[in-house]
Amino acid sequence: MTRVAASRSPARPDRTPRGAPTDSPGAGGTAPGPLHGHRDDDGSDRDGAESPEERDVRLLHALRTDTGRRLMEAVRDHAPGEELALATRLRRDHPAELVAAALTRARLRVRARAKFGAEADTMWFTADGVEQATRAGVAARRAERFAGAGATRVVDLCCGNGGDALALARAGLEVVAVDRSPLACAVVAANAEELGLADRIRVVTGDVTDPGTVGDVTGPGTALFIDPARRDGRGRTFDPEAYSPPLSRALDAARRAPLAAVKIAPGIPHEALPPDAETEWVSDGGEVKEAVLWFGTGAAQPRRATLLPGGHSVTGDGSPAPDPEADGEYGPVDRYLYEPDGAVIRAGLVGAVARIIGARLIDPRIAYLTSDVAVHTPWAAGWEVTDVLPFNLKRLRALLRERGVGTLTIKKRGFAMTPEELRRRLAPRGPNACTLVVTRVGERPLVLVTRPLREAPGTPPGT
């Protein structure tokens, strides 16, 4: 069987990495503590004492008792500057390690709100788990896709803190959540109980190289989801073979299941994508969050861009070279300019969106579209173009001063100078605002002076 390490936690050295939490107060009055998930590879200290991970599991259970919950309520939403005094006061009635664990968890909950909303305040996390967790809306959409493709049971390998497992369970699926970290598994089980989903999620500590750990993933209705760790002790890794497990091993496992999805970094080069997978790029609120390799969906096209929260999707072949017949002609900048959503650009589907909104590319190598009609669409941000000028710093500075522009938004594509450097050189002053789009058509650098499209009443076209 293909060897795939069942853990979303990145590989760790024997000693605690720089910046990892400790049990003692840190500089500036902070008191980082346990629940960080660092441990030796065998899960125990070399001298036979309680390992950090064993301690963290014990403290997690202690925080879920009545006493622990009262302690958690006492540290909820405290100000960072109050932490040292709060910790000192709480240590009069509680063990120091439990207070440190409570403060750590309180900080993790605050960070997790960006991904889980208010529900984060009832959940349990590790530091690695918060960093790599899928946003709740993104996980819910993936769970819907699994269910819509006929899955009834999903094996979630490298389950981390369980964000995806929870979403899959809420979609009515039976879930087997697998991780090699006992702490991660304890956190998943705790979250399932807190959210009333324990009857749908079976948590397994182990490695999928052991057939008895995971069970059969080839039967009808069974699907596989793998979210490899893309961080190590030094931070984020961009080499797919440096994932844990390596992408090649994750793909071997995915191809054995009738339906599977493998989460990858959205910036992965197109040449690294497997030809037998449908690759989906997902944005949430205009930010590209992830890419997913899907197997067994029967997709007609190999590329998909999905925009959340609306759930809009567009598909295509993602060809890097423009095809006038498929992508539309390109030409001069018209009255309106559009920048497609980042998921569309990553998927190579700019031409497909051009067809949807009735626009054309301004240049075959630049992801800007133009038309003479105002279109309000989820697929792209839009601006009305007031001026199209050859790039000339002196002339542009004079124009902005003449119009009293002091608030300047700068966007660029195909132009070497950074927005910060351009803003410094322009030194805008005045009460008015505008958006500059600095780009290139052919070999000519252009600057477009624009203002954002205003939403029109009624149903917008191009949706």
Side-chain angles (χ1 to χ4, degrees), residues 8-9 108 111-116 120 123-139 142 156 158-166 187 191 225 227-231 236 263 284 289-290:
R8 192 169 299 171
S9 301
L108 291 175
R111 289 168 53 193
R113 288 172 188 167
K115 295 184 175 182
F116 294 93
M123 295 176 65
W124 306 86
F125 301 98
T126 65
D128 289 335
V130 171
E131 285 292 333
Q132 298 185 180
T134 306
R135 284 193 177 217
V138 177
R142 178 167 37 248
D156 178 4
C158 319
C159 62
N161 288 174
D164 282 285
L166 297 170
V187 168
N191 286 333
F225 174 60
D227 185 359
R230 292 171 297 282
R231 302 180 72 89
R236 194 181 302 273
K263 184 175 170 181
D284 188 16
K289 292 302 178 184
E290 66 179 35

mmCIF file of all heavy atoms in Angstrom, residues 8-9 108 111-116 120 123-139 142 156 158-166 187 191 225 227-231 236 263 284 289-290:
data_model
loop_
_atom_site.group_PDB
_atom_site.id
_atom_site.type_symbol
_atom_site.label_atom_id
_atom_site.label_comp_id
_atom_site.label_asym_id
_atom_site.label_seq_id
_atom_site.Cartn_x
_atom_site.Cartn_y
_atom_site.Cartn_z
ATOM 1 N N ARG A 8 -1.603 16.095 9.576
ATOM 2 C CA ARG A 8 -1.524 17.422 9.022
ATOM 3 C C ARG A 8 -0.482 18.248 9.748
ATOM 4 O O ARG A 8 -0.113 19.322 9.321
ATOM 5 C CB ARG A 8 -2.886 18.115 9.120
ATOM 6 C CG ARG A 8 -2.975 19.384 8.309
ATOM 7 C CD ARG A 8 -4.401 19.871 8.243
ATOM 8 N NE ARG A 8 -5.247 18.887 7.601
ATOM 9 C CZ ARG A 8 -6.558 18.974 7.559
ATOM 10 N NH1 ARG A 8 -7.183 19.966 8.119
ATOM 11 N NH2 ARG A 8 -7.271 18.035 6.971
ATOM 12 N N SER A 9 0.028 17.741 10.896
ATOM 13 C CA SER A 9 1.051 18.469 11.623
ATOM 14 C C SER A 9 2.364 18.345 10.877
ATOM 15 O O SER A 9 2.760 17.260 10.483
ATOM 16 C CB SER A 9 1.210 17.900 13.034
ATOM 17 O OG SER A 9 -0.003 17.978 13.729
ATOM 18 N N LEU A 108 -5.710 31.231 20.727
ATOM 19 C CA LEU A 108 -5.997 30.466 19.516
ATOM 20 C C LEU A 108 -7.444 30.653 19.070
ATOM 21 O O LEU A 108 -7.732 30.729 17.874
ATOM 22 C CB LEU A 108 -5.702 28.985 19.748
ATOM 23 C CG LEU A 108 -4.223 28.618 19.923
ATOM 24 C CD1 LEU A 108 -4.080 27.140 20.274
ATOM 25 C CD2 LEU A 108 -3.427 28.949 18.673
ATOM 26 N N ARG A 111 -7.723 33.908 17.180
ATOM 27 C CA ARG A 111 -7.205 33.761 15.824
ATOM 28 C C ARG A 111 -8.134 32.944 14.937
ATOM 29 O O ARG A 111 -8.274 33.222 13.736
ATOM 30 C CB ARG A 111 -5.825 33.097 15.872
ATOM 31 C CG ARG A 111 -4.729 33.979 16.418
ATOM 32 C CD ARG A 111 -3.479 33.181 16.712
ATOM 33 N NE ARG A 111 -3.033 32.403 15.572
ATOM 34 C CZ ARG A 111 -2.130 31.436 15.642
ATOM 35 N NH1 ARG A 111 -1.586 31.110 16.809
ATOM 36 N NH2 ARG A 111 -1.772 30.779 14.553
ATOM 37 N N ALA A 112 -8.784 31.947 15.507
ATOM 38 C CA ALA A 112 -9.629 31.041 14.725
ATOM 39 C C ALA A 112 -10.946 31.678 14.311
ATOM 40 O O ALA A 112 -11.618 31.160 13.417
ATOM 41 C CB ALA A 112 -9.907 29.768 15.522
ATOM 42 N N ARG A 113 -11.327 32.791 14.924
ATOM 43 C CA ARG A 113 -12.597 33.428 14.545
ATOM 44 C C ARG A 113 -12.617 33.830 13.078
ATOM 45 O O ARG A 113 -13.681 33.842 12.448
ATOM 46 C CB ARG A 113 -12.840 34.652 15.427
ATOM 47 C CG ARG A 113 -13.211 34.321 16.861
ATOM 48 C CD ARG A 113 -13.251 35.573 17.713
ATOM 49 N NE ARG A 113 -13.433 35.257 19.131
ATOM 50 C CZ ARG A 113 -13.252 36.130 20.105
ATOM 51 N NH1 ARG A 113 -12.887 37.381 19.817
ATOM 52 N NH2 ARG A 113 -13.422 35.768 21.359
ATOM 53 N N ALA A 114 -11.458 34.174 12.530
ATOM 54 C CA ALA A 114 -11.404 34.559 11.120
ATOM 55 C C ALA A 114 -11.813 33.409 10.201
ATOM 56 O O ALA A 114 -12.303 33.642 9.091
ATOM 57 C CB ALA A 114 -9.994 35.032 10.762
ATOM 58 N N LYS A 115 -11.647 32.175 10.663
ATOM 59 C CA LYS A 115 -11.981 31.015 9.835
ATOM 60 C C LYS A 115 -13.276 30.338 10.243
ATOM 61 O O LYS A 115 -13.961 29.758 9.400
ATOM 62 C CB LYS A 115 -10.838 29.995 9.895
ATOM 63 C CG LYS A 115 -9.545 30.495 9.279
ATOM 64 C CD LYS A 115 -8.476 29.421 9.265
ATOM 65 C CE LYS A 115 -7.229 29.899 8.542
ATOM 66 N NZ LYS A 115 -6.177 28.875 8.462
ATOM 67 N N PHE A 116 -13.616 30.407 11.526
ATOM 68 C CA PHE A 116 -14.782 29.671 12.022
ATOM 69 C C PHE A 116 -15.880 30.569 12.572
ATOM 70 O O PHE A 116 -16.920 30.065 12.986
ATOM 71 C CB PHE A 116 -14.344 28.684 13.121
ATOM 72 C CG PHE A 116 -13.460 27.585 12.620
ATOM 73 C CD1 PHE A 116 -12.078 27.711 12.657
ATOM 74 C CD2 PHE A 116 -13.996 26.422 12.090
ATOM 75 C CE1 PHE A 116 -11.252 26.713 12.193
ATOM 76 C CE2 PHE A 116 -13.180 25.410 11.624
ATOM 77 C CZ PHE A 116 -11.802 25.552 11.663
ATOM 78 N N ALA A 120 -15.898 29.498 16.805
ATOM 79 C CA ALA A 120 -14.544 29.258 17.307
ATOM 80 C C ALA A 120 -14.499 29.335 18.829
ATOM 81 O O ALA A 120 -13.665 28.687 19.466
ATOM 82 C CB ALA A 120 -13.570 30.268 16.705
ATOM 83 N N MET A 123 -14.794 25.944 20.335
ATOM 84 C CA MET A 123 -13.956 24.885 19.768
ATOM 85 C C MET A 123 -12.579 24.861 20.422
ATOM 86 O O MET A 123 -12.199 25.761 21.166
ATOM 87 C CB MET A 123 -13.824 25.082 18.251
ATOM 88 C CG MET A 123 -15.134 24.931 17.495
ATOM 89 S SD MET A 123 -14.977 25.293 15.722
ATOM 90 C CE MET A 123 -13.880 23.970 15.185
ATOM 91 N N TRP A 124 -11.822 23.810 20.116
ATOM 92 C CA TRP A 124 -10.484 23.593 20.646
ATOM 93 C C TRP A 124 -9.510 23.554 19.483
ATOM 94 O O TRP A 124 -9.830 23.034 18.406
ATOM 95 C CB TRP A 124 -10.433 22.287 21.440
ATOM 96 C CG TRP A 124 -11.476 22.210 22.508
ATOM 97 C CD1 TRP A 124 -12.763 21.777 22.381
ATOM 98 C CD2 TRP A 124 -11.330 22.611 23.867
ATOM 99 N NE1 TRP A 124 -13.430 21.881 23.562
ATOM 100 C CE2 TRP A 124 -12.569 22.382 24.514
ATOM 101 C CE3 TRP A 124 -10.272 23.121 24.619
ATOM 102 C CZ2 TRP A 124 -12.783 22.663 25.852
ATOM 103 C CZ3 TRP A 124 -10.476 23.394 25.961
ATOM 104 C CH2 TRP A 124 -11.721 23.171 26.566
ATOM 105 N N PHE A 125 -8.311 24.114 19.700
ATOM 106 C CA PHE A 125 -7.353 24.237 18.605
ATOM 107 C C PHE A 125 -5.934 24.008 19.091
ATOM 108 O O PHE A 125 -5.625 24.164 20.273
ATOM 109 C CB PHE A 125 -7.413 25.648 17.983
ATOM 110 C CG PHE A 125 -8.755 26.014 17.430
ATOM 111 C CD1 PHE A 125 -9.638 26.792 18.177
ATOM 112 C CD2 PHE A 125 -9.146 25.590 16.175
ATOM 113 C CE1 PHE A 125 -10.885 27.133 17.684
ATOM 114 C CE2 PHE A 125 -10.392 25.924 15.667
ATOM 115 C CZ PHE A 125 -11.266 26.702 16.429
ATOM 116 N N THR A 126 -5.074 23.647 18.136
ATOM 117 C CA THR A 126 -3.634 23.730 18.322
ATOM 118 C C THR A 126 -3.137 24.844 17.415
ATOM 119 O O THR A 126 -3.833 25.264 16.478
ATOM 120 C CB THR A 126 -2.937 22.417 17.941
ATOM 121 O OG1 THR A 126 -3.113 22.193 16.528
ATOM 122 C CG2 THR A 126 -3.505 21.247 18.718
ATOM 123 N N ALA A 127 -1.916 25.324 17.658
ATOM 124 C CA ALA A 127 -1.384 26.412 16.845
ATOM 125 C C ALA A 127 -1.260 25.997 15.380
ATOM 126 O O ALA A 127 -1.651 26.735 14.469
ATOM 127 C CB ALA A 127 -0.036 26.867 17.395
ATOM 128 N N ASP A 128 -0.711 24.804 15.139
ATOM 129 C CA ASP A 128 -0.600 24.308 13.769
ATOM 130 C C ASP A 128 -1.984 24.151 13.137
ATOM 131 O O ASP A 128 -2.183 24.439 11.955
ATOM 132 C CB ASP A 128 0.112 22.951 13.744
ATOM 133 C CG ASP A 128 1.591 23.071 14.065
ATOM 134 O OD1 ASP A 128 2.155 24.158 13.849
ATOM 135 O OD2 ASP A 128 2.177 22.083 14.546
ATOM 136 N N GLY A 129 -2.928 23.702 13.935
ATOM 137 C CA GLY A 129 -4.272 23.474 13.413
ATOM 138 C C GLY A 129 -4.944 24.752 12.957
ATOM 139 O O GLY A 129 -5.633 24.774 11.932
ATOM 140 N N VAL A 130 -4.765 25.836 13.707
ATOM 141 C CA VAL A 130 -5.348 27.117 13.307
ATOM 142 C C VAL A 130 -4.716 27.608 12.013
ATOM 143 O O VAL A 130 -5.403 28.091 11.108
ATOM 144 C CB VAL A 130 -5.180 28.160 14.425
ATOM 145 C CG1 VAL A 130 -5.588 29.552 13.930
ATOM 146 C CG2 VAL A 130 -6.020 27.792 15.631
ATOM 147 N N GLU A 131 -3.394 27.487 11.904
ATOM 148 C CA GLU A 131 -2.694 27.960 10.710
ATOM 149 C C GLU A 131 -3.195 27.257 9.457
ATOM 150 O O GLU A 131 -3.377 27.881 8.413
ATOM 151 C CB GLU A 131 -1.188 27.724 10.858
ATOM 152 C CG GLU A 131 -0.500 28.681 11.793
ATOM 153 C CD GLU A 131 -0.451 30.099 11.259
ATOM 154 O OE1 GLU A 131 -0.463 30.283 10.029
ATOM 155 O OE2 GLU A 131 -0.412 31.033 12.078
ATOM 156 N N GLN A 132 -3.432 25.959 9.533
ATOM 157 C CA GLN A 132 -3.717 25.167 8.343
ATOM 158 C C GLN A 132 -5.198 24.814 8.180
ATOM 159 O O GLN A 132 -5.570 24.145 7.209
ATOM 160 C CB GLN A 132 -2.869 23.891 8.369
ATOM 161 C CG GLN A 132 -1.385 24.205 8.356
ATOM 162 C CD GLN A 132 -0.497 22.983 8.261
ATOM 163 O OE1 GLN A 132 0.693 23.114 8.239
ATOM 164 N NE2 GLN A 132 -1.072 21.803 8.186
ATOM 165 N N ALA A 133 -6.027 25.285 9.078
ATOM 166 C CA ALA A 133 -7.445 24.938 9.002
ATOM 167 C C ALA A 133 -8.112 25.570 7.783
ATOM 168 O O ALA A 133 -7.778 26.683 7.369
ATOM 169 C CB ALA A 133 -8.158 25.389 10.271
ATOM 170 N N THR A 134 -9.055 24.841 7.215
ATOM 171 C CA THR A 134 -9.876 25.358 6.128
ATOM 172 C C THR A 134 -10.955 26.270 6.699
ATOM 173 O O THR A 134 -11.550 25.977 7.732
ATOM 174 C CB THR A 134 -10.550 24.198 5.378
ATOM 175 O OG1 THR A 134 -9.556 23.265 4.950
ATOM 176 C CG2 THR A 134 -11.326 24.698 4.177
ATOM 177 N N ARG A 135 -11.212 27.385 6.039
ATOM 178 C CA ARG A 135 -12.317 28.251 6.460
ATOM 179 C C ARG A 135 -13.623 27.463 6.433
ATOM 180 O O ARG A 135 -13.845 26.618 5.567
ATOM 181 C CB ARG A 135 -12.440 29.457 5.528
ATOM 182 C CG ARG A 135 -11.389 30.515 5.766
ATOM 183 C CD ARG A 135 -11.745 31.782 5.047
ATOM 184 N NE ARG A 135 -10.774 32.824 5.326
ATOM 185 C CZ ARG A 135 -11.080 34.098 5.484
ATOM 186 N NH1 ARG A 135 -12.344 34.480 5.389
ATOM 187 N NH2 ARG A 135 -10.150 34.995 5.736
ATOM 188 N N ALA A 136 -14.493 27.788 7.367
ATOM 189 C CA ALA A 136 -15.731 27.019 7.515
ATOM 190 C C ALA A 136 -16.548 27.012 6.228
ATOM 191 O O ALA A 136 -17.076 25.974 5.812
ATOM 192 C CB ALA A 136 -16.547 27.565 8.672
ATOM 193 N N GLY A 137 -16.673 28.161 5.566
ATOM 194 C CA GLY A 137 -17.457 28.218 4.336
ATOM 195 C C GLY A 137 -16.853 27.411 3.209
ATOM 196 O O GLY A 137 -17.561 26.786 2.416
ATOM 197 N N VAL A 138 -15.528 27.400 3.125
ATOM 198 C CA VAL A 138 -14.837 26.626 2.091
ATOM 199 C C VAL A 138 -15.003 25.135 2.359
ATOM 200 O O VAL A 138 -15.265 24.343 1.447
ATOM 201 C CB VAL A 138 -13.354 27.015 2.043
ATOM 202 C CG1 VAL A 138 -12.603 26.169 1.014
ATOM 203 C CG2 VAL A 138 -13.199 28.503 1.714
ATOM 204 N N ALA A 139 -14.863 24.744 3.624
ATOM 205 C CA ALA A 139 -15.035 23.332 3.979
ATOM 206 C C ALA A 139 -16.469 22.877 3.718
ATOM 207 O O ALA A 139 -16.693 21.752 3.258
ATOM 208 C CB ALA A 139 -14.674 23.125 5.448
ATOM 209 N N ARG A 142 -16.955 22.205 0.027
ATOM 210 C CA ARG A 142 -16.325 20.949 -0.389
ATOM 211 C C ARG A 142 -17.165 19.763 0.067
ATOM 212 O O ARG A 142 -17.335 18.782 -0.660
ATOM 213 C CB ARG A 142 -14.907 20.854 0.161
ATOM 214 C CG ARG A 142 -14.246 19.561 -0.215
ATOM 215 C CD ARG A 142 -12.752 19.510 0.011
ATOM 216 N NE ARG A 142 -12.310 20.201 1.187
ATOM 217 C CZ ARG A 142 -11.586 21.314 1.177
ATOM 218 N NH1 ARG A 142 -11.252 21.874 0.027
ATOM 219 N NH2 ARG A 142 -11.198 21.887 2.300
ATOM 220 N N ASP A 156 -11.039 11.216 6.151
ATOM 221 C CA ASP A 156 -10.312 12.483 6.191
ATOM 222 C C ASP A 156 -8.922 12.221 6.753
ATOM 223 O O ASP A 156 -8.747 12.080 7.966
ATOM 224 C CB ASP A 156 -11.091 13.481 7.056
ATOM 225 C CG ASP A 156 -10.381 14.825 7.191
ATOM 226 O OD1 ASP A 156 -9.326 15.026 6.567
ATOM 227 O OD2 ASP A 156 -10.897 15.683 7.946
ATOM 228 N N CYS A 158 -5.038 13.177 7.651
ATOM 229 C CA CYS A 158 -4.361 14.391 8.110
ATOM 230 C C CYS A 158 -5.414 15.406 8.546
ATOM 231 O O CYS A 158 -5.478 16.534 8.077
ATOM 232 C CB CYS A 158 -3.466 14.989 7.040
ATOM 233 S SG CYS A 158 -2.501 13.804 6.086
ATOM 234 N N CYS A 159 -6.260 14.996 9.489
ATOM 235 C CA CYS A 159 -7.490 15.742 9.805
ATOM 236 C C CYS A 159 -7.250 16.993 10.629
ATOM 237 O O CYS A 159 -8.164 17.799 10.793
ATOM 238 C CB CYS A 159 -8.495 14.832 10.509
ATOM 239 S SG CYS A 159 -7.922 14.178 12.098
ATOM 240 N N GLY A 160 -6.027 17.179 11.189
ATOM 241 C CA GLY A 160 -5.751 18.396 11.940
ATOM 242 C C GLY A 160 -6.707 18.587 13.092
ATOM 243 O O GLY A 160 -6.975 17.677 13.871
ATOM 244 N N ASN A 161 -7.272 19.796 13.207
ATOM 245 C CA ASN A 161 -8.218 20.095 14.279
ATOM 246 C C ASN A 161 -9.655 19.756 13.926
ATOM 247 O O ASN A 161 -10.569 20.001 14.711
ATOM 248 C CB ASN A 161 -8.120 21.568 14.673
ATOM 249 C CG ASN A 161 -6.846 21.907 15.425
ATOM 250 O OD1 ASN A 161 -6.586 23.071 15.697
ATOM 251 N ND2 ASN A 161 -6.025 20.920 15.746
ATOM 252 N N GLY A 162 -9.881 19.231 12.711
ATOM 253 C CA GLY A 162 -11.188 18.691 12.375
ATOM 254 C C GLY A 162 -12.144 19.610 11.661
ATOM 255 O O GLY A 162 -13.329 19.289 11.546
ATOM 256 N N GLY A 163 -11.676 20.750 11.143
ATOM 257 C CA GLY A 163 -12.588 21.656 10.461
ATOM 258 C C GLY A 163 -13.305 21.004 9.294
ATOM 259 O O GLY A 163 -14.518 21.159 9.121
ATOM 260 N N ASP A 164 -12.559 20.260 8.467
ATOM 261 C CA ASP A 164 -13.194 19.577 7.339
ATOM 262 C C ASP A 164 -14.066 18.429 7.804
ATOM 263 O O ASP A 164 -15.153 18.197 7.249
ATOM 264 C CB ASP A 164 -12.127 19.081 6.372
ATOM 265 C CG ASP A 164 -11.577 20.191 5.496
ATOM 266 O OD1 ASP A 164 -12.283 20.600 4.564
ATOM 267 O OD2 ASP A 164 -10.461 20.660 5.761
ATOM 268 N N ALA A 165 -13.622 17.681 8.802
ATOM 269 C CA ALA A 165 -14.424 16.568 9.315
ATOM 270 C C ALA A 165 -15.774 17.064 9.829
ATOM 271 O O ALA A 165 -16.813 16.431 9.600
ATOM 272 C CB ALA A 165 -13.662 15.849 10.433
ATOM 273 N N LEU A 166 -15.775 18.206 10.506
ATOM 274 C CA LEU A 166 -17.026 18.762 11.019
ATOM 275 C C LEU A 166 -17.963 19.147 9.873
ATOM 276 O O LEU A 166 -19.167 18.882 9.921
ATOM 277 C CB LEU A 166 -16.734 19.980 11.889
ATOM 278 C CG LEU A 166 -15.912 19.724 13.159
ATOM 279 C CD1 LEU A 166 -15.495 21.037 13.795
ATOM 280 C CD2 LEU A 166 -16.697 18.865 14.157
ATOM 281 N N VAL A 187 -8.266 16.714 19.954
ATOM 282 C CA VAL A 187 -8.937 17.972 19.623
ATOM 283 C C VAL A 187 -10.130 17.724 18.707
ATOM 284 O O VAL A 187 -11.213 18.289 18.896
ATOM 285 C CB VAL A 187 -7.934 18.946 18.981
ATOM 286 C CG1 VAL A 187 -8.658 20.145 18.369
ATOM 287 C CG2 VAL A 187 -6.920 19.431 20.023
ATOM 288 N N ASN A 191 -13.976 18.624 19.590
ATOM 289 C CA ASN A 191 -14.794 19.509 18.767
ATOM 290 C C ASN A 191 -16.063 18.820 18.298
ATOM 291 O O ASN A 191 -17.141 19.432 18.238
ATOM 292 C CB ASN A 191 -13.983 20.007 17.570
ATOM 293 C CG ASN A 191 -12.962 21.055 17.960
ATOM 294 O OD1 ASN A 191 -13.145 21.776 18.944
ATOM 295 N ND2 ASN A 191 -11.879 21.157 17.202
ATOM 296 N N PHE A 225 -10.328 12.239 1.481
ATOM 297 C CA PHE A 225 -9.890 13.626 1.481
ATOM 298 C C PHE A 225 -8.541 13.696 2.176
ATOM 299 O O PHE A 225 -8.373 13.189 3.292
ATOM 300 C CB PHE A 225 -10.892 14.536 2.192
ATOM 301 C CG PHE A 225 -10.402 15.954 2.325
ATOM 302 C CD1 PHE A 225 -10.099 16.703 1.209
ATOM 303 C CD2 PHE A 225 -10.230 16.539 3.574
ATOM 304 C CE1 PHE A 225 -9.624 18.004 1.320
ATOM 305 C CE2 PHE A 225 -9.771 17.838 3.701
ATOM 306 C CZ PHE A 225 -9.467 18.572 2.572
ATOM 307 N N ASP A 227 -5.410 16.396 3.218
ATOM 308 C CA ASP A 227 -4.930 17.770 3.346
ATOM 309 C C ASP A 227 -3.506 17.730 3.897
ATOM 310 O O ASP A 227 -3.294 17.845 5.101
ATOM 311 C CB ASP A 227 -5.850 18.560 4.279
ATOM 312 C CG ASP A 227 -5.465 20.037 4.350
ATOM 313 O OD1 ASP A 227 -4.480 20.432 3.704
ATOM 314 O OD2 ASP A 227 -6.148 20.789 5.072
ATOM 315 N N PRO A 228 -2.501 17.571 3.029
ATOM 316 C CA PRO A 228 -1.130 17.437 3.522
ATOM 317 C C PRO A 228 -0.647 18.707 4.218
ATOM 318 O O PRO A 228 -1.088 19.824 3.884
ATOM 319 C CB PRO A 228 -0.317 17.181 2.237
ATOM 320 C CG PRO A 228 -1.320 16.820 1.193
ATOM 321 C CD PRO A 228 -2.583 17.507 1.568
ATOM 322 N N ALA A 229 0.251 18.543 5.176
ATOM 323 C CA ALA A 229 0.865 19.698 5.826
ATOM 324 C C ALA A 229 1.751 20.415 4.822
ATOM 325 O O ALA A 229 2.560 19.798 4.130
ATOM 326 C CB ALA A 229 1.683 19.250 7.034
ATOM 327 N N ARG A 230 1.573 21.730 4.721
ATOM 328 C CA ARG A 230 2.386 22.541 3.806
ATOM 329 C C ARG A 230 3.270 23.511 4.582
ATOM 330 O O ARG A 230 3.692 24.542 4.068
ATOM 331 C CB ARG A 230 1.463 23.294 2.837
ATOM 332 C CG ARG A 230 0.746 22.368 1.873
ATOM 333 C CD ARG A 230 -0.308 23.075 1.061
ATOM 334 N NE ARG A 230 -1.370 23.601 1.884
ATOM 335 C CZ ARG A 230 -2.361 22.869 2.389
ATOM 336 N NH1 ARG A 230 -2.397 21.568 2.163
ATOM 337 N NH2 ARG A 230 -3.290 23.424 3.138
ATOM 338 N N ARG A 231 3.509 23.176 5.852
ATOM 339 C CA ARG A 231 4.414 23.963 6.684
ATOM 340 C C ARG A 231 5.379 23.008 7.379
ATOM 341 O O ARG A 231 5.022 21.869 7.694
ATOM 342 C CB ARG A 231 3.639 24.769 7.735
ATOM 343 C CG ARG A 231 2.610 25.717 7.164
ATOM 344 C CD ARG A 231 1.885 26.479 8.265
ATOM 345 N NE ARG A 231 2.746 27.467 8.879
ATOM 346 C CZ ARG A 231 2.861 28.715 8.445
ATOM 347 N NH1 ARG A 231 2.172 29.114 7.391
ATOM 348 N NH2 ARG A 231 3.656 29.570 9.061
ATOM 349 N N ARG A 236 6.120 28.042 5.750
ATOM 350 C CA ARG A 236 5.393 27.478 4.621
ATOM 351 C C ARG A 236 6.360 26.904 3.588
ATOM 352 O O ARG A 236 7.404 27.494 3.304
ATOM 353 C CB ARG A 236 4.519 28.564 3.977
ATOM 354 C CG ARG A 236 3.475 28.037 3.015
ATOM 355 C CD ARG A 236 2.692 29.189 2.429
ATOM 356 N NE ARG A 236 2.054 29.980 3.455
ATOM 357 C CZ ARG A 236 0.862 29.727 3.977
ATOM 358 N NH1 ARG A 236 0.187 28.665 3.573
ATOM 359 N NH2 ARG A 236 0.341 30.526 4.897
ATOM 360 N N LYS A 263 -6.022 18.537 -1.144
ATOM 361 C CA LYS A 263 -5.847 19.984 -1.026
ATOM 362 C C LYS A 263 -4.391 20.342 -1.269
ATOM 363 O O LYS A 263 -3.483 19.706 -0.730
ATOM 364 C CB LYS A 263 -6.292 20.437 0.367
ATOM 365 C CG LYS A 263 -6.255 21.933 0.598
ATOM 366 C CD LYS A 263 -6.831 22.236 1.971
ATOM 367 C CE LYS A 263 -6.607 23.676 2.376
ATOM 368 N NZ LYS A 263 -7.161 23.956 3.726
ATOM 369 N N ASP A 284 -12.587 33.051 -1.388
ATOM 370 C CA ASP A 284 -13.633 33.358 -0.409
ATOM 371 C C ASP A 284 -13.534 34.840 -0.087
ATOM 372 O O ASP A 284 -12.500 35.304 0.399
ATOM 373 C CB ASP A 284 -13.428 32.528 0.864
ATOM 374 C CG ASP A 284 -14.586 32.666 1.844
ATOM 375 O OD1 ASP A 284 -15.672 33.138 1.432
ATOM 376 O OD2 ASP A 284 -14.422 32.321 3.025
ATOM 377 N N LYS A 289 -8.054 31.037 -1.523
ATOM 378 C CA LYS A 289 -7.773 30.311 -0.290
ATOM 379 C C LYS A 289 -7.091 28.968 -0.518
ATOM 380 O O LYS A 289 -6.284 28.537 0.295
ATOM 381 C CB LYS A 289 -9.076 30.087 0.491
ATOM 382 C CG LYS A 289 -9.668 31.373 1.038
ATOM 383 C CD LYS A 289 -8.683 32.089 1.947
ATOM 384 C CE LYS A 289 -9.212 33.389 2.470
ATOM 385 N NZ LYS A 289 -8.196 34.113 3.275
ATOM 386 N N GLU A 290 -7.428 28.290 -1.606
ATOM 387 C CA GLU A 290 -6.868 26.952 -1.782
ATOM 388 C C GLU A 290 -7.078 26.471 -3.202
ATOM 389 O O GLU A 290 -7.845 27.061 -3.984
ATOM 390 C CB GLU A 290 -7.516 25.955 -0.822
ATOM 391 C CG GLU A 290 -8.991 25.707 -1.096
ATOM 392 C CD GLU A 290 -9.608 24.694 -0.146
ATOM 393 O OE1 GLU A 290 -9.202 24.674 1.028
ATOM 394 O OE2 GLU A 290 -10.482 23.930 -0.583
#
